[in-house]
């Protein structure tokens, strides 16, 4: 009978995780008479030196499996277990043989003692178990002492694999203004360790970066919105870092991380607005039907379908003479001639144009109305084959820091007459009242005449005129829409005067104020401010600045123990820098008052005492002092009254 062996020495405890045996006697009867089949499932034994008869064969050893931990790193072979036959008398007459998966390569057996050792490092993730066969032979004759039997060595798992996000990094999109708890994406981490044994493969999710905007479910890995009213126009892109930790998140577990790049998709939460409430345009009376008169533009901070515009003429005396259509590429309203014009009949028209979003979201209707109106004055100009512009409309983009005198567009017109008279160019000053531009009289080069400021005027709609030199009455015109592009020319600054207080009993590292900044610029990727102490206060021993990386900063105490009598007010200069090119910065000052507070941090007083009475002065003594002062004042006033009376009496006597 085979019985479990004992551990050989202390170094074998790591290898022998658990040995589970089924042992006992199995009496199997095998009929070997001629033609008698062996019943299925019974052990077949042939004994040629015995007469053919009914034999009872004793199967003396049965076991199920051994367990051994993976990743053993010792220098000696790893002890697995022991095989022993009750026929073994310890005299070396029994020889144990091991065969099957890994025999002789991964596992060896001492043919005398039956001790099994692993001679290679075992990795459960590469192979979870081995099936082997063992046999006991008579060392002298080589004949089997017992039938060959099969057993299993199972590799027991240890936590040697960290969770991995096989599908990361992730990219996700969620609509802006989504309610808190809106599902964004689910991330999944896998752990190669054994999920059926211990907590090695039990993964817990947490968020390392991305708060307070997003949260993650610790069990499912579902990322959800955690902050309400997230505005795409304020911040569009977020980088969220998720950690997966095994061992159920306990100390000592292995962890892996992944990045989730989340984009806020646009919803229609911004109404359109015309940057100009009045447009001045001109059109030649010879302009053909459907020809362009000019363009109007209603700006919408949304994008895509939510920024689409529909322009309509809603009022005015020119509704029957002009039409308006929407350019789907630039979302501008193109005013065109609807019927032939006559300078002699009517010289000008007025249109009231509406720009509206055709795609509305009911939940944002309270932000509306989602339309705006502007007034367009159109002058009809008398023509006698005037110059014609090619093309009939110009759209120019120019940075606001363009140098004065820079040519931003060449305006071209030609005389359709056979004479081909020379053309002289000019700007309709009613369309450029600020005189920001001028045009070269002969070449048509449109140039800047004044510095441009996007923060003041982001759009200019000017009308360029072309006049025949030999016939000034023949004038053509063209509309030029100029979009002023933003450059970083404004430094960030505090939006208001910041004043804070610090308690005398404040501790080091205590938050006393959160500050933010504003910048008139409008960079494409949004504003990103950086905060620090001004150079002159870089080594300030009292306070420090911590940048929150969200365009705000915290002001913290650097020490404890402030005293009003030593210094009642601190002035902390804070450097605010933007992320533009070039970087612009300004210094704002935070005024910090030292206040006395109670134990809960409630302010009691922020003014230092100019004079303090002795602590030991009693109430009775204080009353006595006040009484003396009162008597003294009465005496002074009385004496003064007597002197005045004597003086008056002497004066009266002298008069008599």
């Amino acid at each position: 009978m085979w019985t479990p062996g004992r551990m050989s020495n202390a170094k074998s405890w790591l290898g022998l995780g658990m040995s589970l045996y089924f042992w006992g006697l199995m009496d199997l009867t095998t009929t070997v008479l001629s033609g008698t089949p062996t019943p299925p499932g019974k052990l077949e034994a042939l004994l040629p030196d015995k007469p053919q008869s009914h034999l009872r064969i004793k199967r003396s050893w049965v076991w199920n499996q051994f367990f051994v931990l993976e990743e053993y790193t010792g220098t000696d072979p790893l002890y697995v277990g022991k095989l022993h036959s009750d026929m073994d008398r310890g005299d070396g007459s029994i020889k144990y043989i091991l065969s099957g998966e890994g025999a002789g390569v991964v596992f060896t057996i001492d043919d005398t003692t039956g001790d099994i050792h692993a001679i290679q490092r075992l990795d459960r993730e590469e192979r979870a178990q081995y099936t082997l066969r063992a046999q006991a032979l008579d060392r002298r004759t080589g004949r089997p002492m017992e039938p060959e039997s099969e057993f299993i060595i199972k590799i027991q798992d240890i936590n040697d694999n960290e969770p991995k996000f096989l599908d990361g990094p992730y990219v996700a999109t969620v609509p802006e203004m989504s309610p808190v708890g809106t599902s964004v994406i689910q991330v999944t981490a896998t752990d190669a360790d054994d999920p059926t044994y211990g907590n090695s493969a039990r993964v817990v999710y947490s968020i390392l970066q991305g708060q307070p905007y997003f949260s993650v479910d610790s069990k499912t890995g579902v990322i959800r919105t955690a902050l309400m009213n997230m505005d795409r126009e304020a911040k569009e892109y977020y980088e969220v870092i998720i950690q997966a930790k095994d061992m159920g998140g306990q100390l000592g577990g292995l962890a892996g991380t992944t990045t989730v790049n989340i984009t806020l998709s646009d919803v229609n939460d911004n109404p359109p607005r015309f940057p100009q409430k009045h447009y001045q345009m001109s059109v030649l009376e010879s302009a053909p039907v459907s020809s362009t008169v000019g363009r109007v533009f209603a700006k919408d901070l949304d994008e895509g379908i939510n920024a689409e515009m529909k322009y309509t003429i809603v009022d005015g005396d020119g509704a029957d003479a002009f039409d308006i259509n929407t350019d789907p590429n630039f979302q501008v309203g193109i005013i065109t001639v609807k019927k032939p014009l006559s300078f002699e009949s009517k010289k000008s028209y007025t249109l009231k144009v509406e720009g509206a979003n055709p795609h509305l979201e009911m939940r944002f209707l309270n932000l509306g109305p989602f339309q705006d109106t502007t007034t367009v004055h159109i002058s009809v100009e008398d023509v006698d084959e005037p110059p014609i512009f090619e093309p009939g409309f110009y759209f120019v983009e120019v940075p606001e820091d363009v140098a004065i005198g820079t040519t931003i567009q060449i305006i071209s017109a030609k005389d359709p007459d056979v004479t081909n008279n020379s053309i002289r160019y000019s700007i309709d000053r009613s369309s450029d009242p600020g005189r920001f531009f001028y045009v070269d009289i002969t070449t048509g080069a449109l140039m800047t005449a004044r510095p441009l400021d996007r923060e003041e005027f982001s759009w200019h709609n000017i009308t360029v005129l072309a006049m025949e030199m030999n016939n000034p009455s023949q004038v053509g015109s063209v509309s030029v829409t100029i979009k002023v592009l933003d450059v970083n020319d404004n430094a960030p600054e505090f939006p208001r005067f910041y004043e804070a207080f610090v308690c005398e009993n404040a501790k080091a590292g205590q938050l006393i104020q959160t500050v933010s900044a504003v910048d008139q610029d409008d960079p494409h990727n949004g504003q990103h401010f950086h905060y620090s102490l001004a150079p002159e206060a870089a080594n300030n021993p009292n306070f420090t600045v911590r940048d929150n990386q969200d365009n705000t900063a915290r002001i913290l105490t650097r020490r404890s123990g402030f005293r009003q009598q030593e210094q009642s007010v601190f002035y902390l200069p804070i450097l605010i820098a933007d992320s533009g090119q070039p970087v612009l910065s300004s210094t704002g000052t935070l005024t910090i008052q030292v206040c006395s507070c109670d134990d809960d941090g409630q302010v009691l007083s922020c003014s230092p005492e100019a004079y303090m009475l002795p602590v030991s002065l009693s109430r009775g003594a204080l009353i006595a002092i006040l009484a003396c002062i009162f008597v003294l004042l009465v005496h002074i006033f009385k004496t003064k009254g007597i002197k005045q009376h004597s003086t008056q009496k002497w004066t009266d006597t002298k008069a008599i």
Side-chain angles (χ1 to χ4, degrees):
M1 181 178 66
W2 295 85
T3 59
R6 297 175 299 172
M7 296 176 60
S8 62
N9 48 47
K11 69 183 177 182
S12 303
W13 70 271
L14 182 62
L16 185 57
M18 174 180 177
S19 296
L20 178 64
Y21 297 82
F22 294 91
W23 58 279
L25 297 178
M26 295 184 62
D27 292 333
L28 306 178
T29 302
T30 303
T31 303
V32 295
L33 297 177
S34 59
T36 304
T38 302
K42 297 295 184 178
L43 177 65
E44 180 177 341
L46 299 176
L47 301 176
D49 56 338
K50 296 288 184 178
Q52 293 183 355
S53 62
H54 288 76
L55 301 177
R56 294 184 60 82
I57 300 176
K58 178 183 178 183
R59 182 178 181 183
S60 302
W61 53 284
V62 177
W63 63 89
N64 185 19
Q65 55 193 6
F66 293 97
F67 289 83
V68 59
L69 285 176
E70 66 174 338
E71 303 294 348
Y72 173 72
T73 58
T75 57
D76 297 330
L78 176 63
Y79 181 79
V80 177
K82 186 180 185 70
L83 303 179
H84 185 74
S85 172
D86 59 358
M87 295 183 181
D88 191 345
R89 299 293 181 261
D91 57 358
S93 62
I94 300 297
K95 181 179 181 180
Y96 299 96
I97 295 176
L98 194 66
S99 61
E101 297 174 345
V105 178
V106 180
F107 302 98
T108 61
I109 187 169
D110 188 311
D111 64 353
T112 301
T113 64
D115 291 333
I116 301 174
H117 289 83
I119 59 175
Q120 288 189 10
R121 183 183 65 85
L122 302 174
D123 188 352
R124 189 202 68 84
E125 284 69 40
E126 294 181 2
R127 186 160 187 171
Q129 67 179 34
Y130 295 81
T131 301
L132 297 105
R133 295 181 299 278
Q135 194 169 33
L137 304 177
D138 187 300
R139 188 179 295 275
R140 181 177 58 83
T141 64
R143 296 182 61 186
M145 302 295 293
E146 300 198 34
E148 185 182 69
S149 288
E150 187 178 90
F151 66 98
I152 295 173
I153 297 179
K154 284 196 171 184
I155 312 304
Q156 197 168 11
D157 184 62
I158 64 173
N159 189 22
D160 61 340
N161 290 277
E162 74 277 3
K164 294 181 179 180
F165 294 88
L166 302 181
D167 297 326
Y170 296 83
V171 176
T173 301
V174 65
E176 65 175 330
M177 301 296 179
S178 292
V180 173
T182 300
S183 177
V184 180
I185 193 175
Q186 182 176 21
V187 297
T188 303
T190 58
D191 195 316
D193 292 318
D194 189 358
T196 65
Y197 179 77
N199 292 327
S200 297
R202 189 162 73 89
V203 174
V204 172
Y205 300 91
S206 61
I207 186 167
L208 301 182
Q209 177 180 307
Q211 294 174 320
Y213 306 101
F214 300 93
S215 64
V216 64
D217 189 293
S218 61
K219 295 181 179 179
T220 65
V222 174
I223 298 175
R224 303 181 184 275
T225 58
L227 191 66
M228 64 185 302
N229 296 332
M230 285 193 290
D231 190 1
R232 182 198 67 84
E233 287 72 34
K235 185 176 181 180
E236 185 175 4
Y237 301 100
Y238 296 82
E239 184 179 82
V240 178
I241 298 178
I242 302 297
Q243 174 183 270
K245 191 173 184 180
D246 60 20
M247 299 298 292
Q250 298 177 7
L251 186 66
L254 304 178
T257 62
T258 189
T259 300
V260 184
N261 294 304
I262 301 176
T263 301
L264 295 185
S265 60
D266 187 67
V267 298
N268 193 9
D269 60 338
N270 291 282
R273 290 292 179 262
F274 284 99
Q276 293 180 230
K277 287 302 181 182
H278 299 278
Y279 287 83
Q280 183 67 46
M281 302 178 184
S282 61
V283 60
L284 305 176
E285 66 172 344
S286 61
V289 174
S290 300
S291 62
T292 299
V293 178
R295 287 165 170 77
V296 295
F297 175 75
K299 184 178 182 181
D300 194 323
L301 297 177
D302 297 317
E303 65 179 10
I305 190 175
N306 299 313
E308 289 185 3
M309 206 68 55
K310 181 180 181 181
Y311 295 91
T312 308
I313 298 175
V314 294
D315 201 359
D317 60 1
D320 61 338
F322 301 93
D323 205 350
I324 189 167
N325 299 291
T326 302
D327 184 337
N329 296 320
F330 296 99
Q331 297 302 320
V332 297
I334 304 174
I335 299 175
T336 58
V337 177
K338 187 176 182 180
K339 69 176 185 178
L341 304 173
S342 173
F343 176 81
E344 288 74 21
S345 300
K346 190 172 179 61
K347 297 179 175 60
S348 64
Y349 295 86
T350 299
L351 304 177
K352 187 176 182 181
V353 176
E354 178 189 86
N357 289 147
H359 306 286
L360 301 179
E361 293 195 29
M362 298 300 295
R363 60 187 176 128
F364 296 119
L365 289 181
N366 61 324
L367 302 177
F370 278 70
Q371 67 267 350
D372 197 15
T373 59
T374 187
T375 301
V376 181
H377 298 283
I378 302 177
S379 300
V380 179
E381 302 200 6
D382 190 21
V383 295
D384 182 14
E385 293 291 338
I388 297 176
F389 286 91
E390 293 180 356
F393 169 78
Y394 291 88
F395 178 82
V396 182
E397 291 181 328
V398 58
E400 63 177 329
D401 63 347
V402 64
I404 296 176
T406 300
T407 299
I408 62 173
Q409 181 69 48
I410 300 297
I411 308 299
S412 177
K414 67 178 182 178
D415 182 8
D417 298 326
V418 177
T419 55
N420 193 19
N421 291 320
S422 298
I423 304 297
R424 293 293 181 263
Y425 298 93
S426 62
I427 293 178
D428 183 349
R429 286 305 169 190
S430 64
S431 66
D432 185 26
R435 297 182 180 272
F436 289 94
F437 307 94
Y438 71 94
V439 63
D440 186 273
I441 192 172
T442 58
T443 65
L446 182 63
M447 293 171 278
T448 55
R450 286 180 52 192
L452 302 179
D453 188 358
R454 186 203 65 84
E455 286 71 35
E456 183 180 6
F457 298 107
S458 59
W459 291 85
H460 296 270
N461 287 275
I462 66 173
T463 300
V464 177
L465 306 177
M467 180 184 66
E468 289 184 13
M469 184 175 179
N470 296 332
N471 187 356
S473 64
Q474 294 185 354
V475 178
S477 65
V478 68
S479 295
V480 181
T481 297
I482 302 169
K483 180 180 180 180
V484 181
L485 303 178
D486 185 63
V487 297
N488 194 33
D489 59 347
N490 290 279
E493 59 186 8
F494 284 150
R496 59 182 176 85
F497 172 75
Y498 278 110
E499 185 175 17
F501 72 91
V502 61
C503 294
E504 290 182 313
N505 57 359
K507 305 299 182 182
Q510 183 171 322
L511 173 66
I512 64 170
Q513 182 69 46
T514 298
V515 297
S516 61
V518 294
D519 193 327
Q520 295 183 39
D521 294 318
D522 185 22
H524 178 69
N525 294 324
Q527 294 286 6
H528 300 282
F529 300 136
H530 306 280
Y531 300 84
S532 62
L533 289 175
E536 63 270 23
N539 297 319
N540 188 296
N542 304 304
F543 306 97
T544 186
V545 175
R546 295 286 176 82
D547 196 325
N548 294 329
Q549 303 299 319
D550 62 354
N551 289 345
T552 66
R554 294 173 293 162
I555 311 302
L556 307 174
T557 56
R558 184 170 276 177
R559 65 178 178 88
S560 59
F562 295 85
R563 292 177 58 83
Q564 291 185 27
Q565 292 181 336
E566 294 179 358
Q567 186 171 349
S568 61
V569 179
F570 293 86
Y571 298 96
L572 187 66
I574 300 174
L575 183 67
I576 316 164
D578 60 23
S579 57
Q581 293 294 332
V583 174
L584 298 180
S585 63
S586 68
T587 300
T589 300
L590 174 64
T591 302
I592 305 172
Q593 291 191 8
V594 180
C595 302
S596 60
C597 307
D598 58 20
D599 294 337
D600 296 329
Q602 299 296 322
V603 175
L604 299 177
S605 173
C606 292
S607 299
E609 297 291 336
Y611 176 79
M612 297 182 64
L613 291 173
V615 177
S616 61
L617 192 62
S618 66
R619 181 180 298 178
L622 180 61
I623 294 174
I625 292 173
L626 294 176
C628 291
I629 292 174
F630 178 77
V631 172
L632 181 60
L633 291 174
V634 171
H635 178 72
I636 291 173
F637 289 138
K638 185 176 181 180
T639 302
K640 184 176 180 181
I642 294 173
K643 287 183 179 180
Q644 289 178 347
H645 178 72
S646 300
T647 303
Q648 182 64 40
K649 185 176 182 182
W650 180 84
T651 303
D652 295 341
T653 303
K654 184 178 180 181
I656 294 172

